[in-house]
Amino acid sequence: MIKFQSVKNHIEKLDKKYLWHPFTQMKEWAEENHLIITEGRGSFLKDITGKWYIDGVSSIWVTVHGHRKKEINDAIKDQVDKISHSTLLGLTHPPAVILAEKLVKLVVARRAVPLRLNRVFYSDNGSTAVEIGLKMAFQYWRHKGIKSKKTFLSLNNGYHGDTIGAVSVGGVDLFHNIFSPLLFKTYKAPSPYCYRCEPGKELRSCRLYCLQAMEKIMHKHHKEIAALIIEPLVQGAGGMIVAPAGYLKQVRKLCSKYDILMIADEVATGFGRTGKMFACEHENVSPDILCIAKGITGGYLPLAATITTEEIYRAFLGEFRELKTFFHGHTYTGNQLACAAAIANIDLFKKEKTLQKMRKKIESLGKELDKIKEFQHVGDIRQKGFMAGIELVKNKKTKEPYPLEEKMGWKVCLRARENGLIIRPLGNVVVLMPPLSISQQELKSLVRITAEAVRVVTG
Ligand SMILES: *Cc1c(COP(=O)(O)O)cnc(C)c1O
């Protein structure tokens, strides 16, 4: 015990001396105590003092089959004994090739409509997958001789990563406003955020007013718009905003009608998070460019892919002197270890019937969440598969939010932590996003601890 304590103090001291944490006000960080995670197993994380917690947000939306999953561990170990990294610049390797085929089959096999997504471009995180999608779309139109298409249409409350291009198409003011002088101009369509509907319509009578607003922009500016980028079905970091049924399908139709490429950013929603392998499947939508990352390696290693159609790919073919090459690539693009982990991750979906097993769990998550609905300070509960958000409000009738500086979301999460659950909020939205492999029992505990925390903190 004494040894633990001294190691813990040591790590904490060094952390505060040397680290700068992401999305963190470090002044506050320096004044607080923090969990030091040393181990994981299944749906749980262990801290340095030996206490176990449910990993209620899948270590920020990445863990799929649980921590320390034997098959993925073994795949990485096997790969380490061969080689850990070689480049895809001018060379190739088996894990990248085998994974690419698996990814294409995964995307294509699940559609009723014939799908043309069949070219895989690797990178190493969600932001780069998005940057690649944007640059591909832009350059595609250049090769087609249409030079006017040089901007993008994106959504309010959209989140696509933190690099400058990804922030340019982002729509979360809290994160993005300060950088506005650096960003390229894009068009912004309303968010399908029914609880706080931008035009102030009621869902049943609205006939998707937000889509009409989107079409207006497309109608007026389609000659300038290379692509639309959207998080299918759920705007994640914007607050777990679930689009109404039919919305995505209409977006696809509008893109086709106005000759705008559709980029689906499935970095968060991909790999089973919404109950299907990819969120686009819910509405049988086929994007022109698909960005995936987070869950691709089961939450083990950084890897991402941008998958596109033969049509887009072919536009880049030519003699070298024509300079049609896609001049983009990251040093760790298609890393061998990460690809090996991703192959094992995908194989596990079949072996463990992950998606089938989720159906019941999704239903029971919904039922458990229903019990929180009546709470006095719970304004809205949104859920799609294993992506859920509980929006806390100061006044349920007027939907008045808590002021940000009250940090209600954080307070709820800290309370939950005392009871053995790690979650992380998005402002006033308490996020639940457990590993797909979580058991019914663990799922129940997760909601029970969350409900208790909400009740105590807002009560
Ligand atoms: C997390 C996320 C990204 C960015 O991914 P990083 O790996 O953090 O760069 C992009 N798009 C969506 C929808 C995300 O949720």
Side-chain angles (χ1 to χ4, degrees):
M1 191 61 207
I2 289 165
K3 182 153 173 277
F4 268 139
Q5 205 56 44
S6 72
V7 174
K8 178 174 183 282
N9 291 344
H10 183 62
I11 298 289
E12 205 159 282
K13 210 167 89 192
L14 293 185
D15 177 289
K16 287 178 180 175
K17 187 166 173 193
Y18 292 113
L19 277 193
W20 188 343
H21 288 263
F23 280 95
T24 303
Q25 176 43 259
M26 293 305 289
K27 179 174 178 290
E28 288 174 7
W29 178 272
E31 292 159 1
E32 293 159 358
N33 292 320
H34 301 284
L35 291 187
I36 301 165
I37 302 301
T38 55
E39 217 179 297
R41 173 164 285 175
S43 312
F44 291 85
L45 298 171
K46 187 173 104 175
D47 80 2
I48 199 166
T49 70
K51 188 171 170 189
W52 287 90
Y53 303 81
I54 299 175
D55 185 357
V57 286
S58 297
S59 292
I60 307 296
W61 316 0
V62 297
T63 316
V64 176
H65 303 290
H67 294 280
R68 219 199 288 176
K69 185 76 186 166
K70 186 174 186 311
E71 288 83 346
I72 305 179
N73 286 9
D74 288 346
I76 293 172
K77 287 175 191 166
D78 282 354
Q79 187 59 46
V80 164
D81 283 336
K82 292 185 193 123
I83 184 173
S84 293
H85 181 74
S86 64
T87 185
L88 285 184
L89 301 170
L91 298 172
T92 190
H93 60 75
V97 173
I98 292 165
L99 176 60
E101 186 190 29
K102 278 189 192 287
L103 287 172
V104 168
K105 288 196 166 155
L106 206 57
V107 172
V108 174
R110 321 181 138 270
R111 312 289 173 137
V113 283
L115 204 97
R116 311 140 298 152
L117 288 171
N118 60 358
R119 286 284 167 178
V120 178
F121 194 101
Y122 289 116
S123 60
D124 44 33
N125 65 78
S127 307
T128 54
V130 165
E131 298 284 344
I132 289 160
L134 297 174
K135 285 174 75 177
M136 259 179 197
F138 170 83
Q139 194 173 336
Y140 166 78
W141 291 114
R142 294 260 137 172
H143 294 331
K144 289 293 222 185
I146 301 175
K147 295 228 162 71
S148 63
K149 280 182 172 289
K150 54 188 180 193
T151 187
F152 298 91
L153 176 55
S154 55
L155 270 65
N156 291 334
N157 293 318
Y159 177 82
H160 302 288
D162 295 331
T163 51
I164 296 295
V167 171
S168 294
V169 292
V172 183
D173 290 346
L174 177 67
F175 307 159
H176 299 152
N177 262 359
I178 181 137
F179 298 111
S180 56
L182 297 180
L183 307 179
F184 55 77
K185 186 180 158 282
T186 61
Y187 292 105
K188 291 274 186 292
S191 166
Y193 190 0
C194 299
Y195 180 64
R196 296 186 188 280
C197 177
E198 287 175 40
K201 302 271 171 177
E202 289 288 331
L203 178 57
R204 230 154 288 149
S205 61
C206 81
R207 294 152 78 193
L208 299 178
Y209 186 90
C210 48
L211 278 173
Q212 296 173 32
M214 178 183 278
E215 177 156 16
K216 254 190 201 152
I217 298 170
M218 288 182 168
H219 186 74
K220 197 160 171 208
H221 301 290
H222 64 96
K223 288 200 173 110
E224 303 155 57
I225 300 173
L228 165 135
I229 182 162
I230 187 168
E231 295 159 86
L233 257 52
V234 188
Q235 292 190 301
M240 294 294 136
I241 297 163
V242 179
Y247 173 84
L248 187 69
K249 185 115 196 143
Q250 289 304 321
V251 171
R252 171 68 265 188
K253 280 196 181 142
L254 288 176
C255 286
S256 302
K257 179 173 170 188
Y258 290 99
D259 226 4
I260 291 169
L261 296 176
M262 179 181 183
I263 304 175
D265 177 356
E266 294 234 24
V267 169
T269 51
F271 295 94
R273 222 32 91 171
T274 65
K276 292 196 185 276
M277 190 57 81
F278 298 104
C280 282
E281 290 170 41
H282 287 277
E283 302 200 355
N284 230 322
V285 158
S286 170
D288 300 289
I289 295 174
L290 175 70
C291 307
I292 50 178
K294 288 192 170 98
I296 189 171
T297 60
Y300 270 66
L301 287 161
L303 181 71
T306 307
I307 308 180
T308 192
T309 59
E310 195 66 14
E311 154 76 11
I312 292 178
Y313 170 76
R314 284 187 177 276
F316 288 72
L317 302 182
E319 301 303 323
F320 183 78
R321 62 187 148 72
E322 294 177 71
L323 297 182
K324 286 185 166 181
T325 305
F326 188 47
F327 289 109
H328 188 112
H330 300 277
T331 310
Y332 277 99
T333 283
N335 171 264
Q336 295 223 26
L337 273 187
C339 288
I343 291 167
N345 175 49
I346 291 171
D347 289 348
L348 275 167
F349 272 91
K350 197 168 187 184
K351 183 176 166 204
E352 310 224 318
K353 300 192 170 66
T354 307
L355 296 175
Q356 289 96 306
K357 283 186 193 158
M358 269 178 87
R359 280 185 210 135
K360 263 205 175 123
K361 294 189 275 187
I362 290 169
E363 209 175 288
S364 76
L365 175 62
K367 275 190 194 139
E368 295 293 319
L369 286 171
D370 271 345
K371 297 178 193 163
I372 306 180
K373 267 202 176 116
E374 279 93 73
F375 287 19
Q376 202 187 339
H377 292 283
V378 171
D380 192 27
I381 294 186
R382 301 181 282 272
Q383 182 207 356
K384 190 77 207 174
F386 268 8
M387 298 178 84
I390 302 164
E391 182 164 342
L392 307 174
V393 286
K394 191 163 180 185
N395 185 323
K396 196 159 177 156
K397 250 201 198 109
T398 63
K399 301 185 181 178
E400 182 193 350
Y402 283 109
L404 271 187
E405 54 275 20
E406 272 190 47
K407 300 183 84 177
M408 285 310 268
W410 255 118
K411 286 176 185 162
V412 168
C413 295
L414 287 175
R415 169 78 191 186
R417 196 175 284 189
E418 288 172 31
N419 293 319
L421 167 65
I422 293 178
I423 45 178
R424 186 182 163 88
L426 292 160
N428 286 324
V429 179
V430 176
V431 175
L432 302 181
M433 214 193 282
L436 309 190
S437 58
I438 194 169
S439 73
Q440 288 273 11
Q441 207 55 38
E442 292 158 359
L443 198 57
K444 275 205 165 136
S445 308
L446 174 133
V447 183
R448 183 176 44 75
I449 297 170
T450 306
E452 194 267 356
V454 170
R455 190 152 33 81
V456 169
V457 171
T458 63

